[in-house]
Amino acid sequence: MWHSHETASPIVEAWTTYRTGRATQWTARQLAAAKGGTGVSVVIPARDEQATIGAIVATIRRELIEKVPLVDEIVVVDSRSTDATATIARRAGARVVSQDRLTRGLPRMEGKGDALWAGLAASTGDVVAFVDGDLREFSAHFVTGLLGPLLTEADVEFVKGFYHRPLIGPASVETDGGGRVTELAARPLLNLFFPELAGFVQPLAGEYAGRRRTLERIPFVSGYGVEVGMLIDLVDLVGLDALAQVDLGERKHRHQGTEALGRMAAQIMVTAWSRMHRRGLVADPMPPSTLLTQFRRGVGDALPNLDRQIAVTDTGVTERPPLASLDRAVAA
Ligand SMILES: O=c1ccn([C@@H]2O[C@H](COP(=O)(O)OP(=O)(O)O[C@H]3O[C@H](CO)[C@@H](O)[C@H](O)[C@H]3O)[C@@H](O)[C@H]2O)c(=O)[nH]1
Ligand SMILES: O=C(O)[C@H](O)COP(=O)(O)O
């Protein structure tokens, strides 16, 4: 039994009431009529997503380009894939760009955040929707839901998706067991230090959309710090009222193992620290240690007293600057 004695802060409660929508509110046809001359891009970051990328691109192409003229371009950012992601995405009808080609000549950065920054630079739409490349049972409502508020409400700058998340194991499914980093790290952290963001149901969701004029004014944190960094930077830049969230139903994706999620959580914490520092919330100006020590059982080189191998990862993140601050000479 879940006992809750407190109520949400009035700001969060008002925002969630006023700024939460549902994908079923808008059809693709209504949005195509509403979009007028607004260019719409879908950007999909993908590292080794050959199992899912084809169906995602093909669905968007069929439903939102061929049947209804809502989306103007699909850009898949190939993020150092070693499988057939790029070929499959191209065959399904996407423009495929390479993270490394787009950032050539710039400092090398890692991970998803860098891929998204490259995707924003390579795309042209006035409104850009991002969706992850590992989604299973993908449906076009993921994109229409994210576009809904942006194409119908002039004062919305950014829309975050939310959904319920099953945790799909080899032998069983836990209905609401997914989003482990969200529940165990990101949400407690945001509630503690950025309580105005507490109303976001899925702050780490990889499905969101925004107006280019705003997205180009924020930095993109490398790796998995990108979503938390983006939410904090957006609320600082445009205010909570310009942000919205939309219920996209259910989301299934490829789950990472606990050890990898530990590194993700650390990147999220390092990112949050940088924003707390910027807001003047930290007394010690020294950056925190970004080295994460983890322990692995059943592999070679175990330390005898621990019976485990020590694995140390640098979970530090870097940042690409706001695109608007650059003299742009990036070629797709
Ligand atoms: O170096 C990378 C790593 C990932 N991806 C892609 O980014 C997407 C999401 O990555 P994934 O590893 O599947 O992340 P999740 O474990 O699903 O993590 C959740 O939490 C992350 C931290 O906020 C978000 O970035 C994710 O979108 C969100 O789904 C997928 O299309 C990946 O192929 C890249 O393009 N480059
Ligand atoms: O968003 C998250 O919290 C992480 O991606 C983990 O998600 P999962 O528990 O559904 O794998």
Side-chain angles (χ1 to χ4, degrees):
M1 188 76 178
W2 189 13
H3 292 287
S4 172
H5 302 290
E6 306 291 341
T7 51
S9 85
I11 292 174
V12 167
E13 193 171 325
W15 177 80
T16 49
T17 309
Y18 174 55
R19 283 299 192 203
T20 301
R22 193 176 281 274
T24 47
Q25 277 174 252
W26 308 277
T27 65
R29 270 183 215 292
Q30 283 166 343
L31 293 178
K35 91 169 194 156
T38 308
V40 176
S41 303
V42 176
V43 171
I44 310 174
R47 184 187 58 186
D48 294 337
E49 304 294 6
Q50 64 179 12
T52 43
I53 195 72
I56 298 171
V57 172
T59 302
I60 299 171
R61 177 144 214 108
R62 188 180 62 245
E63 303 295 327
L64 306 180
I65 294 182
E66 287 162 8
K67 278 194 197 160
V68 180
L70 177 60
V71 168
D72 298 294
E73 63 172 356
I74 308 169
V75 176
V76 169
V77 187
D78 179 19
S79 180
R80 302 179 191 148
S81 297
T82 55
D83 68 1
T85 294
T87 311
I88 293 174
R90 205 172 288 115
R91 275 197 204 131
R95 178 155 69 91
V96 177
V97 299
S98 146
Q99 174 180 340
D100 285 333
R101 264 202 71 198
L102 278 157
T103 56
R104 190 179 294 161
L106 302 174
R108 184 180 162 95
M109 291 186 193
E110 302 297 325
K112 185 188 173 190
D114 192 40
L116 294 182
W117 189 78
L120 182 61
S123 61
T124 57
D126 307 299
V127 166
V128 183
F130 298 94
V131 296
D132 280 353
D134 67 329
L135 301 188
R136 298 185 184 151
E137 299 172 30
F138 180 83
S139 142
H141 77 272
F142 273 73
V143 175
T144 50
L146 296 172
L147 294 176
L150 289 161
L151 296 177
T152 58
E153 292 173 61
D155 51 356
V156 172
E157 292 293 322
F158 180 83
V159 178
K160 188 95 186 169
F162 74 93
Y163 21 63
H164 67 92
R165 307 181 57 169
L167 182 63
I168 303 168
S172 62
V173 176
E174 202 183 321
T175 314
D176 285 301
R180 291 162 289 169
V181 177
T182 306
E183 302 305 331
L184 302 176
R187 190 191 311 291
L189 188 65
L190 290 173
N191 276 261
L192 273 173
F193 298 112
F194 304 93
E196 70 274 33
L197 295 173
F200 282 92
V201 182
Q202 292 292 336
L204 300 190
E207 293 67 36
Y208 39 88
R211 297 190 197 281
R212 174 175 299 279
R213 64 178 183 218
T214 295
L215 293 171
E216 289 200 353
R217 290 176 63 206
I218 54 168
F220 276 56
V221 175
S222 66
Y224 290 116
V226 63
E227 277 79 25
V228 156
M230 188 181 292
L231 269 192
I232 299 168
D233 292 349
L234 285 170
V235 83
D236 284 351
L237 182 70
V238 295
L240 187 61
D241 192 47
L243 313 182
Q245 63 180 351
V246 168
D247 190 346
L248 302 176
E250 180 183 65
R251 177 215 207 216
K252 293 183 183 160
H253 75 138
R254 173 186 27 74
H255 297 291
Q256 301 200 51
T258 312
E259 192 182 295
L261 293 184
R263 293 190 288 274
M264 177 190 287
Q267 290 191 333
I268 287 167
M269 291 182 199
V270 172
T271 305
W273 182 90
S274 68
R275 273 49 188 172
M276 287 160 67
H277 184 259
R278 193 179 67 199
R279 284 188 177 188
L281 289 174
V282 286
D284 181 357
M286 286 298 288
S289 165
T290 57
L291 294 183
L292 176 68
T293 304
Q294 294 178 305
F295 301 92
R296 271 181 211 152
R297 287 197 317 126
V299 288
D301 301 331
L303 294 178
N305 49 338
L306 285 173
D307 199 21
R308 285 158 174 76
Q309 188 190 50
I310 283 188
V312 177
T313 313
D314 188 347
T315 58
V317 292
T318 40
E319 293 185 18
R320 294 288 186 202
L323 276 172
S325 71
L326 295 187
D327 184 13
R328 299 270 285 283
V330 212

